[in-house]
Amino acid sequence: MKKKKLRCYIYVRVSTSMQVDGYSLEAQRERLLRFAEFQEMEVVREYCDAGKSGKNISGRPEFSQMLQDIAEDRDRVDFILVFKLSRFGRNAADVLNSLQYIQDFGVNLICVEDGIDSSKDSGKLTITVLSAVAEIERENILVQTMEGRRQKAREGKWNGGQAPFGYELDSKNGTLTVNSKEAEIVRIIFSKFVNEGLGADSICDYLNQHGYQKKKVKKNELNYFSRGLIMKILDNPVYIGKIAYGRTATEKVKGSRDQYKRVKTDDYMLIDGIHEAIVDQELWEAARIRRKETGVKWNKTHSLEHEHILSGILRCPVCGSGLVGTVRRRKNKKSGEYKDDFYYKCLHRRKIDDTHFCNFRLVLNQDEINHQSEEIILDMVADPEFRDYMVSKLDEKVDVSSLETEKNQVREQLRQVMGAKKKLTEMMERLDIGDKHYDRKYQDMQDRQNVLYDRISELEEAIADIEVKISGAYEEKITIDQLYKILLNFDKMYYMMSDLEKKRFMREFIEGIELYPEKQKDGRILKQISLGFPVFYEGSEGDTIWLHKENTVEAVALLAR
């Protein structure tokens, strides 16, 4: 009787793009394929997490997908093959939990290089020990890294990370050098704050409207000055020649296993740096005194979960920028308690032309604007035709058959190319080293093999792109369905949501809200709502007209009364 051929997945991972020899993705993959061939196993599917840490599962999408495929019995596999146990994971609890999880579905783990097979009696014990060692190793690396940074701080050197505004990093000497243009701006900030009594917002307006700009550190970052940056500069002792280390620390989130947050600490190192100061000690001390006088411990009194629901959606009628949420704190003179009022306003960061900045000064009460927007949506979903439309959209199915067909075709091409590469590898191994043309033949085959590797990479990328499209189609359908379901019960569900959930809903539902430059005689300020949402065409004789542009997902609510 013919023996049943075992089926397996292979999983490869590297934590960075640069790996030592023998640990690269391709090296791991080749080793696992050879092992599977030797053991006469059928490799059903391959999973690869490139540049992913093994400290936990949540940051490894391919690993999570593999576990899901096992749970769904997608390919009826018997084993997962990994190069070493550390590729499977470095967190002992995660490794053991994942192992128990796959074994619950009849799947075992083989670590090829470590010689471990969890289907054998000694396998799980070995995995328990080695996974604990791997986690200790990861923690030791972290400790050594942090100690290295702490030592650099003791020496007065910059201990890693982006150079603060006003300085540039001299990576060769591990210290900071003054950027003269930015340093001048730092001095202006301290002078305006101490000598002229300007607050952070006023300093921002002054810098932005006088043409001062900061360089972009990240691609999508803006080059204007923000309140947060001004406060960060005023509180950083680096500008008087000091190096501060440990001002923030990583703290584990209670009730979680792998979640951490950054928190401020009062106990930190403050060392004389070897870099040049930008402001003098006297100006720094004066800034400290004024910060204590003007600073208010910011405990939210309105709501511990308050969110600026329409922030970024409301558009400035002058410059077109998204309005942001802001808070005004008022103190009750009798009780001494503080009350928070929330508003939307334009930060006037964008120029209208070469010389003029935005001058829209109106500050909008959040409660009023949020309520007006909610009333408009209530009017919309109350329309019987619109409700019928939403119900019909919920019945639609996602058609990804063409994408699945395309993926299968590309997989077949990949299978053929992999077969060709395998045959070529066998031919290279059979070459007679005594052949006088051996070098030429080997080089010729090596060139052909490189071409095949390039083709394999192209096909794997094509499959990944198609899978992203398929996933995107399902996710888009889920998102749209959620919106329709919420809208069908908007009058009940919306008011049960938290502020954060309301904000997410509005961002999915509304593309943007245009405003009038001034409040109208009847008190209205909302002019037009653009919906990021496909709706039917419907003309109304009432206050609101709903329009749908054909072949787009844009709809507009014109609030003409």
Side-chain angles (χ1 to χ4, degrees):
M1 185 175 178
K2 188 175 180 181
K3 185 180 178 182
K4 175 190 171 185
K5 192 169 186 179
L6 296 174
R7 296 160 64 84
C8 67
Y9 288 152
I10 67 173
Y11 175 74
V12 295
R13 179 185 68 81
V14 291
S15 56
T16 65
S17 58
M18 300 296 291
Q19 292 287 332
V20 297
D21 291 341
Y23 283 84
S24 68
L25 291 174
E26 190 57 35
Q28 292 179 48
R29 186 172 171 278
E30 286 293 328
R31 179 75 174 89
L32 296 176
L33 289 174
R34 287 200 302 270
F35 179 87
E37 183 180 5
F38 178 75
Q39 296 291 337
E40 297 184 349
M41 290 184 180
E42 178 186 356
V43 177
V44 182
R45 204 175 300 276
E46 300 177 15
Y47 300 86
C48 170
D49 279 317
K52 305 293 183 182
S53 170
K55 68 178 182 180
N56 57 45
I57 295 172
S58 58
R60 294 189 280 160
E62 285 286 289
F63 187 87
S64 299
Q65 182 62 52
M66 179 176 66
L67 296 185
Q68 182 179 336
D69 290 344
I70 289 172
E72 294 173 355
D73 202 14
R74 180 176 180 180
D75 300 297
R76 299 182 179 278
V77 294
D78 304 287
F79 287 95
I80 295 174
L81 304 187
V82 296
F83 181 66
K84 292 174 70 71
L85 182 61
S86 60
R87 302 305 90 198
F88 192 70
R90 286 185 178 272
N91 180 302
D94 275 346
V95 168
L96 297 177
N97 286 340
S98 299
L99 178 61
Q100 185 61 57
Y101 183 82
I102 64 175
Q103 286 185 327
D104 288 342
F105 293 98
V107 180
N108 277 287
L109 175 70
I110 293 180
C111 308
V112 174
E113 197 71 9
D114 297 325
I116 300 172
D117 182 347
S118 69
S119 65
K120 295 182 170 60
D121 292 339
S122 60
K124 190 165 184 179
L125 175 61
T126 307
I127 287 175
T128 303
V129 174
L130 289 183
S131 59
V133 171
E135 182 172 5
I136 292 170
E137 178 187 356
R138 182 174 66 84
E139 295 297 332
N140 285 340
I141 291 171
L142 178 61
V143 170
Q144 291 167 10
T145 301
M146 299 309 293
E147 182 56 37
R149 291 181 179 179
R150 192 174 289 108
Q151 181 57 36
K152 289 187 73 174
R154 294 190 189 102
E155 296 171 3
K157 297 180 179 180
W158 186 245
N159 46 36
Q162 174 192 335
F165 183 82
Y167 291 98
E168 293 177 352
L169 180 61
D170 179 358
S171 54
K172 183 178 180 181
N173 298 312
T175 188
L176 301 171
T177 58
V178 174
N179 179 314
S180 57
K181 290 184 178 180
E182 291 185 355
E184 184 58 33
I185 297 173
V186 171
R187 295 187 187 100
I188 290 173
I189 291 171
F190 274 91
S191 177
K192 294 286 181 186
F193 184 71
V194 173
N195 300 324
E196 299 183 29
L198 296 186
D201 289 330
S202 299
I203 294 173
C204 284
D205 289 344
Y206 174 85
L207 294 174
N208 292 329
Q209 294 184 20
H210 283 76
Y212 292 103
Q213 294 182 341
K214 70 180 184 68
K215 63 185 178 184
K216 296 181 180 181
V217 178
K218 299 177 182 178
K219 184 178 179 181
N220 298 323
E221 195 173 61
L222 299 175
N223 58 1
Y224 54 73
F225 287 87
S226 64
R227 185 180 190 278
L229 177 60
I230 301 299
M231 304 302 288
K232 193 174 181 180
I233 289 172
L234 290 171
D235 291 339
N236 197 339
V238 73
Y239 298 109
I240 53 168
K242 301 286 187 180
I243 290 291
Y245 182 80
R247 296 174 70 192
T248 62
T250 301
E251 184 179 275
K252 191 172 182 294
V253 177
K254 289 183 178 179
S256 72
R257 179 179 296 169
D258 298 308
Q259 294 181 20
Y260 295 86
K261 62 181 179 180
R262 298 294 294 179
V263 295
K264 290 184 178 181
T265 59
D266 296 325
D267 184 19
Y268 58 87
M269 290 171 54
L270 191 62
I271 308 294
D272 289 331
I274 59 177
H275 63 279
E276 180 183 346
I278 292 179
V279 299
D280 58 44
Q281 188 72 29
E282 183 180 352
L283 187 59
W284 167 260
E285 293 296 343
R288 302 273 50 72
I289 293 171
R290 185 155 191 268
R291 283 287 285 124
K292 289 180 180 179
E293 292 174 349
T294 59
V296 177
K297 187 177 181 181
W298 204 255
N299 295 321
K300 289 185 179 180
T301 59
H302 179 272
S303 170
L304 294 176
E305 297 179 351
H306 181 86
E307 292 286 342
H308 308 298
I309 295 172
L310 299 178
S311 176
I313 299 175
L314 293 164
R315 299 293 178 185
C316 174
V318 178
C319 67
S321 297
L323 269 59
V324 301
T326 185
V327 185
R328 287 182 181 175
R329 170 156 286 191
R330 295 183 288 111
K331 185 176 182 179
N332 188 309
K333 294 182 179 179
K334 293 182 179 180
S335 65
E337 295 180 352
Y338 288 95
K339 183 180 185 300
D340 295 335
D341 295 318
F342 298 92
Y343 300 88
Y344 297 114
K345 73 172 186 177
C346 181
L347 294 180
H348 319 297
R349 292 165 171 164
R350 185 177 295 178
K351 279 188 174 182
I352 303 170
D353 52 41
D354 292 338
T355 57
H356 297 88
F357 276 83
C358 174
N359 60 356
F360 181 68
R361 299 291 176 182
L362 201 60
V363 178
L364 308 175
N365 183 281
Q366 286 193 18
D367 289 338
E368 294 178 8
I369 298 299
N370 292 348
H371 180 68
Q372 289 182 33
S373 302
E374 292 158 7
E375 287 295 317
I376 292 168
I377 298 174
L378 281 169
D379 289 343
M380 174 181 168
V381 299
D383 189 316
E385 291 188 50
F386 186 72
R387 296 182 70 83
D388 292 342
Y389 170 80
M390 288 188 287
V391 172
S392 68
K393 295 295 289 183
L394 284 170
D395 291 335
E396 291 183 357
K397 304 297 181 184
V398 180
D399 183 10
V400 293
S401 56
S402 60
L403 289 172
E404 289 288 357
T405 300
E406 183 182 356
K407 185 171 74 169
N408 290 333
Q409 291 172 348
V410 177
R411 277 181 170 169
E412 177 58 25
Q413 294 177 42
L414 178 61
R415 188 189 66 78
Q416 293 174 3
V417 176
M418 292 289 289
K421 182 183 75 68
K422 180 180 177 181
K423 290 179 181 178
L424 186 60
T425 301
E426 292 171 351
M427 291 171 61
M428 293 172 71
E429 292 174 350
R430 289 199 299 266
L431 277 177
D432 183 4
I433 197 169
D435 189 333
K436 66 178 182 179
H437 299 301
Y438 174 83
D439 290 339
R440 290 185 178 182
K441 289 180 179 179
Y442 188 87
Q443 185 59 50
D444 178 57
M445 291 181 179
Q446 185 71 57
D447 293 341
R448 288 159 58 191
Q449 190 181 57
N450 290 337
V451 172
L452 290 174
Y453 274 123
D454 290 338
R455 180 58 178 159
I456 289 170
S457 296
E458 291 174 5
L459 293 171
E460 288 176 338
E461 289 175 6
I463 291 172
D465 289 341
I466 295 170
E467 287 178 340
V468 168
K469 291 178 182 177
I470 293 173
S471 176
Y474 281 110
E475 289 176 1
E476 182 178 358
K477 171 64 174 171
I478 291 170
T479 301
I480 293 296
D481 283 354
Q482 288 172 339
L483 286 174
Y484 285 129
K485 289 174 181 177
I486 292 173
L487 285 169
L488 282 168
N489 300 281
F490 183 80
D491 56 338
K492 300 182 183 71
M493 290 186 64
Y494 185 79
Y495 297 105
M496 295 172 63
M497 294 180 183
S498 66
D499 279 1
L500 181 59
E501 289 169 333
K502 289 179 180 178
K503 184 174 184 177
R504 288 172 178 168
F505 169 78
M506 288 297 193
R507 287 184 179 277
E508 291 285 351
F509 185 66
I510 298 176
E511 185 72 25
I513 301 177
E514 293 184 27
L515 305 172
Y516 288 109
E518 296 179 355
K519 282 190 175 182
Q520 304 301 290
K521 291 181 179 179
D522 58 3
R524 288 185 300 115
I525 189 70
L526 298 186
K527 179 181 180 181
Q528 176 174 298
I529 297 180
S530 299
L531 308 178
F533 191 84
V535 299
F536 66 107
Y537 177 90
E538 170 70 15
S540 171
E541 295 180 357
D543 294 337
T544 305
I545 301 174
W546 306 102
L547 298 175
H548 172 50
K549 293 183 179 179
E550 204 63 41
N551 300 323
T552 71
V553 292
E554 180 183 7
V556 179
L558 297 173
L559 312 180
R561 301 198 177 200

